[in-house]
Amino acid sequence: MLTCIIRYQIDPTKNALFEEYSRNWGQAIPRCGADLVGYFAPHEGSSTLAYGIYNVESLADYEAYRSRLSMDPLGRENYKFAQKEKFLLREDRTWLKLASAPHGDGA
């Protein structure tokens, strides 16, 4: 299992637009085959950092998911929405694998 963490720098005056964008991905991402953990908007502290987190089984599964997402009507609409409204200032993806499993003491 791989986890993709997307770190966004957003325009703090357009937080509501980021939240709309996030809700749209909340529908499109699971439909297209990734396990969405969630999108997280600023609440306390930094007003410009936001995150999107989802899991895929492998990079091959990620490529298939991205292909489906590019064909998804809501996915295409959401990309256009972000470009039009310009609330995303920067977007960085990091791929991680779980290193702490198994969790707990096993008892």
Side-chain angles (χ1 to χ4, degrees), residues 66-77:
R66 293 286 292 181
S67 178
R68 288 187 297 271
L69 193 61
S70 72
M71 303 301 288
D72 184 84
L74 182 56
R76 286 195 313 263
E77 184 179 308

Side-chain angles (χ1 to χ4, degrees), residues 14-68:
K14 298 181 178 182
N15 196 349
L17 294 174
F18 179 78
E19 290 183 9
E20 181 179 345
Y21 174 80
S22 299
R23 287 188 298 274
N24 290 338
W25 284 139
Q27 301 302 308
I29 289 173
R31 180 172 55 239
C32 291
D35 174 26
L36 180 63
V37 174
Y39 270 71
F40 301 86
H43 176 70
E44 187 74 25
S46 173
S47 63
T48 62
L49 291 180
Y51 295 89
I53 304 171
Y54 61 88
N55 298 307
V56 292
E57 288 294 323
S58 67
L59 289 178
D61 287 334
Y62 170 72
E63 292 300 328
Y65 150 76
R66 293 286 292 181
S67 178
R68 288 187 297 271

